[in-house]
Amino acid sequence: MSLLEEARRVAGEFDFGPEEVKKSVKEFIRQMDEGLRAPNQTMSQIPTYVTAVPNGTEKGLFLAIDLGGTNFRVCSVQLHGNTTFTLTQSKCAVPRELMVAPTAKELFGFLAKQIELFLRTHHSDHFEAHVRRRQTVSASDGYRDENIFRLGFTFSFPVQQHGINRGTLIRWTKGFDIDDAIGKDVCQLLQTEIDLLKLPVRVAALVNDTVGTLMARSYASPGETGTLLGAIFGTGTNGAYVERLEKITKLAGESGGSDYERTGEMIVNTEWGSFDNALRVLPDTPYDRALDGESVNPGIQMFEKRVSGMFLGEILRLAMLGLVRDPAARLFQDDDSSSNDVHSTTTIAADSALYRQWGIDTSVLSTVESDGGAGLRLTRQTLDKELGVSAASIEDAQAVKMLVSAIGRRSARLSAVAIGAVVISSGRLHASQKPASQAVDAAKQGDVSAAAAATATTLQAAAAPLLDTPPAPTSAPPDSGEEDHVDVGVDGSLVEYYPGFEELLREALREVPEIGPAGEKRIRIGIAKDGSGVGAALIALVAGKAGPPGEEGYHRSDK
């Protein structure tokens, strides 16, 4: 068997066809519902206590901070009320000794000090006005909430969230190790240090960056119904979406329900990277199994390990290595220069990334996927530069491109499973208006959900004169206008830079019967940048609305 035949066989192992997509969407919805009903499920379905999405008209000045690893970012976001904003930011490295400090105070004290430095540098007038105001009131609480910044805190470590600004640390990752902080409320740890410095800042919201992606998209690209889903397809993958509160039954009996019941909705952080850890429907190749076995967390995050950029390069490396070692394929083994179009013998460097775990970055896949030139010259240059494979033949390059295309296509089609499941579960594709006769017909046929939807539409139309608004149309073609779109905000290197990723994803969406070609056209996918900055500020705004009137952003006293 020739090299290309062997490469085609291996590439075929990554096929993920229409039937697999349909089965996976059904299982994804089942696991979503399971996570809404009870804690400690495969998909965590974490309630975020964020109960509204922006519509682009919001105004105000807010703070956001992002502790996502070894760097710390502070920014202020001025929302202009017309879907635009101005962002000012500063970044600094977190000193290594603070990542493993004896107590939490050292780290959170450092964070508070950076917030103070940012305010003095970028908002000195406001900061000094606050200091003067405090000095002129006799009572310690006499200044109340005047000149107070509301802050969104993006904290990218595992937490158990108990409220919009309450969450206890479960464990550290990314090189942090401060035992003293485990089990403590990270918002309170930060607020305590902020208060010691007498800063005009209140920690208003604990933020997941995926939730921030949803919020940032909804502000910048508002629609009639708001953004449904924020999703990240980059180094990792996750999604957060707007869910009906009645479906989040595991919240029953929790205190503080009045903070969110009035909207009837809540954003849920799916943590969908752990979808189908049991591999009921996910594809599983020898290369997936090898990657998982050598990972730091075998048996978990199985969806993420097949989708996200952190893992695609390693899957490619393992598949290529299999062809190098297969005597029937002999990838990169043109030991006779006369058979090579560059008239040079192919060699693999002894220290090649091909022989190192995690040696291949996903950017290599993007480069190869984009190469449509004669002779795949760009691919061969990349093999030389990134993998130490010199004088690769055209056949070698063709084999690598087959593998890359198969791995990238599977990732995109799996991503469609997640998006499609959330869209179907939300019911938004089928929320278009139906006349009363359709409600009766649906009820006769036993379709309770369809009857309810049609009846709600009839009531909406009947109530329109009382509300001094025109009744909604009784029918609308799938692509008739803005109000028919289901909006999805996305971020991450795969969806933004991988060639053809969105079209591959959309191809799979069209194959799902509940969506189809007409429904796929109504799913609007757009890039949402800076969920940990702009999105966090917007969540602080939403959190502020739960407080006394007039507390959006900061309130500047005119007295």
Side-chain angles (χ1 to χ4, degrees):
M1 191 177 288
S2 71
L3 169 58
L4 292 184
E5 288 173 327
E6 281 293 315
R8 195 170 290 111
R9 178 189 61 79
V10 173
E13 296 186 59
F14 294 98
D15 284 349
F16 188 63
E19 285 303 315
E20 287 83 0
V21 170
K22 287 187 283 187
K23 285 173 56 180
S24 297
V25 167
K26 184 177 180 180
E27 178 65 12
F28 200 104
I29 293 172
R30 189 192 71 79
Q31 292 189 24
M32 284 174 64
D33 291 341
E34 193 175 63
L36 293 173
R37 290 194 299 268
N40 305 316
Q41 301 302 310
T42 300
M43 284 178 63
S44 299
Q45 293 285 76
I46 301 169
T48 67
Y49 301 88
V50 179
T51 58
V53 296
N55 61 17
T57 64
E58 293 79 5
K59 296 180 180 179
L61 180 62
F62 300 85
L63 287 182
I65 61 173
D66 181 8
L67 182 65
T70 56
N71 291 316
F72 177 63
R73 181 170 68 133
V74 185
C75 57
S76 60
V77 180
Q78 179 71 58
L79 303 172
H80 301 307
N82 59 356
T83 76
T84 66
F85 58 87
T86 302
L87 183 142
T88 304
Q89 65 178 338
S90 67
K91 294 181 181 179
C92 68
V94 178
R96 173 63 189 167
E97 61 270 20
L98 296 183
M99 296 169 63
V100 292
T103 69
K105 181 176 178 61
E106 288 91 339
L107 174 64
F108 286 89
F110 170 80
L111 304 184
K113 197 67 180 175
Q114 296 305 311
I115 295 170
E116 179 184 37
L117 180 62
F118 179 86
L119 291 178
R120 289 186 182 277
T121 302
H122 299 288
H123 298 284
S124 57
D125 290 347
H126 174 66
F127 182 78
E128 296 303 329
H130 165 75
V131 172
R132 289 193 299 271
R133 179 67 174 160
R134 284 195 69 121
Q135 291 172 343
T136 58
V137 290
S138 54
S140 60
D141 61 347
Y143 70 102
R144 293 187 297 276
D145 278 335
E146 290 147 352
N147 292 326
I148 297 294
F149 279 102
R150 296 200 174 277
L151 178 144
F153 183 12
T154 300
F155 185 75
S156 299
F157 300 90
V159 296
Q160 180 62 53
Q161 196 156 353
H162 306 289
I164 198 164
N165 65 347
R166 292 183 294 125
T168 52
L169 178 64
I170 297 172
R171 64 182 179 275
W172 290 105
T173 58
K174 306 172 188 178
F176 284 75
D177 187 15
I178 308 172
D179 286 343
D180 175 61
I182 304 296
K184 293 183 178 178
D185 184 342
V186 295
C187 291
Q188 187 56 57
L189 289 172
L190 179 61
Q191 189 67 61
T192 297
E193 299 303 321
I194 287 171
D195 291 344
L196 286 174
L197 295 176
K198 295 182 167 57
L199 304 181
V201 175
R202 174 175 296 172
V203 182
L206 183 61
V207 179
N208 172 276
D209 58 355
T210 312
V211 181
T213 296
L214 190 161
M215 301 293 278
R217 171 67 182 178
S218 194
Y219 178 78
S221 301
E224 290 292 322
T225 57
T227 299
L228 168 66
L229 168 66
I232 293 177
F233 299 107
T235 304
T237 184
N238 191 19
Y241 71 103
V242 180
E243 181 60 273
R244 296 187 299 280
L245 191 61
E246 64 195 35
K247 289 187 66 177
I248 315 175
T249 54
K250 66 182 177 183
L251 277 177
E254 286 200 3
S255 60
S258 60
D259 290 342
Y260 54 80
E261 286 176 358
R262 52 198 170 78
T263 70
E265 294 181 330
M266 182 181 289
I267 296 175
V268 171
N269 168 22
T270 66
E271 292 295 337
W272 71 32
S274 63
F275 164 60
D276 195 28
N277 283 339
L279 299 180
R280 292 185 180 92
V281 294
L282 283 178
D284 193 34
T285 70
Y287 318 105
D288 296 308
R289 292 191 289 274
L291 180 150
D292 180 58
E294 294 298 321
S295 69
V296 297
N297 53 354
I300 63 173
Q301 297 298 102
M302 302 301 265
F303 183 71
E304 184 170 68
K305 286 172 180 173
R306 287 153 175 77
V307 170
S308 71
M310 175 180 286
F311 301 101
L312 298 188
E314 180 65 3
I315 293 173
L316 174 64
R317 185 188 75 86
L318 292 167
M320 291 169 60
L321 197 57
L323 288 180
V324 168
R325 292 171 174 170
D326 182 354
R330 295 174 57 81
L331 179 65
F332 306 141
Q333 294 180 54
D334 275 332
D335 46 16
D336 180 357
S337 62
S338 64
S339 65
N340 192 314
D341 63 301
V342 294
H343 302 295
S344 181
T345 300
T346 305
T347 59
I348 307 174
D351 61 349
S352 169
L354 194 61
Y355 302 129
R356 295 198 311 271
Q357 186 183 22
W358 313 113
I360 299 179
D361 188 80
T362 298
S363 61
V364 170
L365 282 82
S366 295
T367 301
V368 172
E369 188 65 61
S370 68
D371 187 6
L376 297 177
R377 185 172 301 277
L378 180 59
T379 295
R380 291 193 280 177
Q381 290 173 347
T382 302
L383 291 171
D384 190 356
K385 179 181 177 183
E386 302 293 338
L387 275 69
V389 177
S390 63
S393 68
I394 290 180
E395 192 177 37
D396 288 330
Q398 290 171 333
V400 171
K401 190 170 176 66
M402 278 185 198
L403 299 179
V404 164
S405 295
I407 293 166
R409 184 170 187 266
R410 189 185 72 165
S411 170
R413 291 175 66 81
L414 283 167
S415 301
V417 167
I419 292 178
V422 171
V423 169
I424 293 167
S425 179
S426 74
R428 289 199 186 182
L429 277 181
H430 303 289
S432 56
Q433 292 74 21
K434 300 176 182 179
S437 61
Q438 286 181 263
V440 175
D441 291 342
K444 286 179 179 178
Q445 296 170 18
D447 191 342
V448 177
S449 60
T455 302
T457 299
T458 303
L459 292 173
Q460 182 185 50
L466 302 176
L467 301 172
D468 195 27
T469 59
T474 56
S475 63
D479 56 352
S480 63
E482 179 77 20
E483 69 275 9
D484 289 313
H485 284 108
V486 178
D487 195 71
V488 175
V490 294
D491 193 11
S493 55
L494 276 179
V495 72
E496 191 168 1
Y497 300 117
Y498 193 91
F501 192 87
E502 183 180 337
E503 180 46 43
L504 290 168
L505 186 157
R506 286 186 174 277
E507 177 188 81
L509 287 175
R510 291 191 288 270
E511 296 167 0
V512 180
E514 296 90 337
I515 297 174
E520 177 268 318
K521 290 179 182 177
R522 289 172 53 195
I523 298 173
R524 182 175 64 179
I525 299 175
I527 298 295
K529 299 301 293 179
D530 202 7
S532 62
V534 177
L538 286 160
I539 295 172
L541 179 153
V542 170
K545 287 182 177 179
E551 288 193 347
E552 289 190 16
Y554 65 84
H555 173 66
R556 195 186 301 275
S557 175
D558 295 324
K559 296 179 182 178

